Every structure is written in C-alpha cells, then in structure tokens.
Amino acid sequence: MPKDTTITRRALLRCIAWSSAAAISPAAAIAGPEAPYPARPVTWVIPFAPGGATGRLSLLICDRLSRRLGQPFVLDHRPGAGGAVATKSVATAAPDGYTILATSTANIITASSGAPPAPDEDLIPVAGMARMPLLLLVSKQLPVKTLPEFLAYARANPGKLSVGSAGPSTIQMLSAELFRTLAGVSWSIVHYRGSGPALLDLASGHIHAMFDNTASAVDLLRSGKVRALAVSTRERAAAFPDLPPVADVLPAFETSGFYGVAVPRGTPKPIVDLLNREINDALADPEIIQHFAEIGATPLAGDTGVYAATYHAEIMHWRKLMPQASAKN
C-alpha cells in the first residue's frame, strides 16, 4: 500500500474520533468575551465531491488543526457550479471562524472573471495550502502512450474525444480548453461534480482523457488504471520526473493548481491570525511535508499579507489566461 494512502486513512480515522469527542486546548485557543476559540466544532467546506485534491489536502490540515486546537474541524463537501455553491454558502455565513472555505483555482477563476461571490471581495484569504501541477491523463483504452501521439490522435479524430472536467470554470476544464485552443483540435467536455467521479469514469474508459491535479490522480496512476502523458507546468514535476511538460509541444501552455483557505469577511483578525499560524505550522510538519512530496504538492506557506498578495497575483494571471482558454475554434 502506498504510504500516502496510509497517511490519509490515519488522518480520516482521527477526524472521525474528533467528531465523537473533543477537548478544548487552552494553550492554542484565543480567549474571548464569551468563550475561547474554537469552543465548538468548525465546519471546513470543500466545494467539490470527495476524491479530489482539495479534499485530500484539507483532510491532512484539518486533522492537524483538530489535534492542535482541541475541537474537530469537520469536512463538509458541497459540490456544485464549479465551486460557486460552496463559496456562496461560506461568504454568507456568520463571520465567527466556525465556517471555513477550502479555496482552489476555481475560486481564483471566478474572481478573475468578476463573477460573485469572489474571495477577494466576499471572503478573507487566510492562508495557503499548496500549489501543484496537473497531469494530462488518458484512459488505458486510448491507443496513445506519449504526448505527441495524443496530439496526433486528437487531430486525426476531430470531435471524437470526450474529456473530463471537475465542473464548469474549474482548472481541469480550462486546462483542457487551453490545450484544445493552442493545439487546434476539437473534443467534447464532460462536466462532473468534482475530480473523483471524473477519474472513475476515466479509469473505466467512459471518457478518453482529462487534466487533473497530481493529488487527485496519484492513486489511480500508481495502480496502473490510467496513463499520464505530461505535466501542466513548464518544469518537470519532482514527483513525476519522467513526464514531459505540455509546453514541450505547445510552448504557450502552462497551468497549475492553487489551494488555500478563506473565511467570511468580517471574521475577527485574532481568529484569522490564529488560523494562519496553525495552518503554517501544519505545513511545516514533517509528516505533511512528506505526504505533499509524494502527491506532487508544494506547501504554500506565508502570513496573511503574503498569501493575500499571492492570491491577487494569481487572479491577475488567470485574468490574462482565460481569454485563451475560453476561445472557440
């Protein structure tokens, strides 16, 4: 069994235990006029179905926060509309630190398009979790084994390929659309409510290809159920050194996943600062560092100011990239 799977199961069991009973840790909590924070369970909202990168990263961080802060941080999957359903639910929640959003590139894309709700207006960016490349994945039933072969096959079979997406306006969809535009090919996009369901259909051959984050795809890839052809970043990924960048054949292509944490605007600064500090401490945990390395993720540490600046820079990056990814041939 791969060690990253063992770690994830261990974290899941601890989260279940925390959901049954928890004790307040006064050393880590913030003293307030009514009760220290956190004084009750915290809801950690994930905008996609289970099985994706956002959920996998969140499980590791929430396990650590639960142990450190003495209350369960409970994962709540709320898929729909490429993350907009979950984002709106958190943006309109009480700004008390008890409802937290696990953000992803989907939120960046929403913010870059100006569509509400947007974390740069309705939420406070708290801390980063990770950045990671995407993999170009294909079904084992597709008769291609290299990136040039895939490109040639797509060009020779216009409109015949079905490509999976984690939902509208997600990085999976826009990476596929950017590839399609730059390569001058045509295919059908099939939307799912997260990476997990799409990957299952890819493994069973119901769809032909998809772009997905390394954390989501690593188990199926290492079990041999899907084939990876390339990485989305300009440099090779340390966890997958044999995979070439898509930019080797399409020089203008480059995307990567960006994951973090946000809370409703108006959340008290001491709570925001506590969460930032504890998440950064989690990212420095050797167990989490090792797990991140195994799934191809790079920790995204920094104080609230650094993370907010990085977040807004990411919005500007996608604001420039989206016209290419959304262009139609």
Side-chain angles (χ1 to χ4, degrees):
M1 178 183 298
K3 188 168 184 180
D4 54 284
T5 302
T6 303
I7 293 172
T8 302
R9 288 178 178 173
R10 187 184 308 137
L12 177 60
L13 290 173
R14 283 199 290 248
C15 283
I16 292 172
W18 274 110
S19 297
S20 302
I24 296 173
S25 174
I30 294 177
E34 298 178 357
Y37 173 86
R40 54 186 170 85
V42 178
T43 300
W44 184 286
V45 179
I46 299 170
F48 304 105
T54 311
R56 190 162 191 163
L57 296 171
S58 295
L59 179 60
L60 289 165
I61 301 299
C62 285
D63 173 54
R64 164 87 180 203
L65 293 178
S66 297
R67 288 182 283 134
R68 287 274 298 175
L69 298 179
Q71 288 288 345
F73 280 65
V74 181
L75 273 59
D76 182 4
H77 291 270
R78 300 181 192 175
V85 171
T87 301
K88 182 176 181 179
S89 71
V90 176
T92 56
D96 54 11
Y98 289 96
T99 307
I100 294 172
L101 179 69
T103 63
S104 70
T105 315
N107 300 99
I108 299 287
I109 292 166
T110 298
S112 68
S113 68
D120 58 331
E121 297 177 0
D122 305 301
L123 299 164
I124 300 173
V126 172
M129 286 195 290
R131 187 185 291 279
M132 71 182 74
L134 282 74
L135 302 176
L136 171 55
L137 305 164
V138 297
S139 165
K140 296 293 285 291
Q141 299 175 26
L142 199 68
V144 300
K145 294 185 178 180
T146 67
L147 178 58
E149 288 178 353
F150 175 76
L151 184 56
Y153 187 90
R155 286 173 172 164
N157 294 275
K160 294 183 180 180
L161 290 179
S162 57
V163 178
S165 156
S169 299
T170 59
I171 189 171
Q172 290 89 346
M173 186 206 83
L174 289 176
S175 294
E177 289 293 81
L178 180 61
F179 186 103
R180 180 191 58 76
T181 299
L182 295 175
V185 299
S186 63
W187 53 40
S188 300
I189 297 289
V190 182
H191 293 301
Y192 293 83
R193 293 167 66 87
S195 292
L199 286 169
L200 290 177
D201 269 7
L202 181 67
S204 62
H206 293 306
I207 57 176
H208 299 105
M210 71 177 292
F211 280 89
D212 205 4
N213 304 286
T214 54
S216 303
V218 65
D219 291 338
L220 283 177
L221 180 60
R222 289 176 177 165
S223 66
K225 294 180 179 179
V226 298
R227 180 180 295 127
L229 303 182
V231 294
S232 67
T233 48
R234 290 195 174 276
E235 304 295 331
R236 290 179 182 247
F240 305 93
D242 295 334
L243 295 179
V246 173
D248 282 1
V249 298
L250 300 174
F253 187 97
E254 180 183 15
T255 62
S256 63
F258 180 85
Y259 301 88
V261 179
V263 293
R265 189 158 295 282
T267 300
K269 188 175 185 301
I271 293 178
V272 173
D273 290 342
L274 171 69
L275 291 170
N276 174 272
R277 183 171 63 251
E278 291 295 334
I279 291 169
N280 277 289
D281 285 349
L283 295 176
D285 184 301
E287 182 177 345
I288 290 180
I289 290 173
Q290 180 180 353
H291 184 75
F292 273 32
E294 290 170 347
I295 60 176
T298 301
L300 197 63
D303 62 27
T304 54
V306 169
Y307 179 62
T310 305
Y311 196 99
H312 288 293
E314 194 75 4
I315 290 173
M316 298 309 297
H317 169 74
W318 275 96
R319 191 163 288 167
K320 295 177 182 178
L321 193 62
M322 279 187 67
Q324 288 179 282
S326 303
K328 298 296 180 184
N329 292 326

